[in-house]
Amino acid sequence: MTTTTDPAPITAATPPATWPGLLATATDTCLDALLEQAGQDWSRPAHGLDWTCRDTLDHLALGLTGYAGLLIARPTDRYITLFASLDPQASLPACLEGLRIAASLLGSTVRDTPSDVRAWHLWGHSDAAGFAAMGITELLLHTYDITRALDPDSPWAPDDALCAAVLTRLFPDAAEAPSGHGPFDVLLWCTGRTALPGLPRRTAWQWDGRVR
């Protein structure tokens, strides 16, 4: 667990125009961390998941592309009919290139989507900023899951500002977390990956994508 003595605030809302840049930063940060582990055994389970590390990359590709597709198709009651996956024969660096493509598609779609657009998601109909926050959350959490499995002795943690932005947008229950913990610790607690003092590890969780 990564605890800071001066945690970044998690209450200030992020301006809509800032989200594409935050997504690009998250993409660069996460793919750099994953590329460092390209020589490891990606057939082992990702930390805390039933998927292998390699399968987790496929989940990321599906999620990032799917969020872009939802903003484009704008369904009101269902997921889209396009599913994305990575070439199972591709090398890890090539798979990470695929993830960068998916993240770029989401970033461009977020940038081009009017602020009044809403699209379906199981965890709350959302706007472009919400889908950007979902993409960032997927990247941060699954990079943690993979790197924790592949290199448990060198814990990876993203920038506080990225975590604070998604906590404010998607996790209103983050306010339940005790003070004195950094945004990444709180994000890990909100998503069932760790406990915090006085708060057990969650066995069920979801974000709230609704526009508030």
Side-chain angles (χ1 to χ4, degrees), residues 101-149:
I101 293 168
S104 179
L105 288 172
L106 177 57
S108 297
T109 305
V110 168
R111 187 177 296 109
D112 294 342
T113 300
S115 61
D116 61 343
V117 165
R118 303 289 182 268
W120 179 91
H121 188 278
L122 180 63
W123 291 350
H125 286 48
S126 201
D127 59 356
F131 281 104
M134 294 177 208
I136 293 169
T137 301
E138 298 270 13
L139 284 162
L140 299 183
L141 293 179
H142 292 314
T143 297
Y144 168 82
D145 298 334
I146 293 169
T147 57
R148 178 78 183 273

Side-chain angles (χ1 to χ4, degrees), residues 94-107:
C95 288
L96 296 179
E97 176 187 74
L99 286 182
R100 186 176 295 280
I101 293 168
S104 179
L105 288 172
L106 177 57

Side-chain angles (χ1 to χ4, degrees), residues 6-30:
D6 185 21
I10 60 174
T11 56
T14 301
T18 306
W19 284 104
L22 289 174
L23 179 59
T25 297
T27 300
D28 289 343
T29 298
C30 292

Side-chain angles (χ1 to χ4, degrees), residues 8-11 163-191 196 199 202 206-208 212:
I10 60 174
T11 56
C163 302
V166 299
L167 284 169
T168 300
R169 180 60 184 80
L170 297 178
F171 296 95
D173 51 352
E176 300 173 17
S179 61
H181 297 277
F184 191 44
D185 287 332
V186 177
L187 181 61
L188 294 178
W189 172 75
C190 284
T191 57
L196 288 177
L199 294 173
R202 291 177 156 186
Q206 67 182 51
W207 60 60
D208 184 350
R212 294 180 293 280

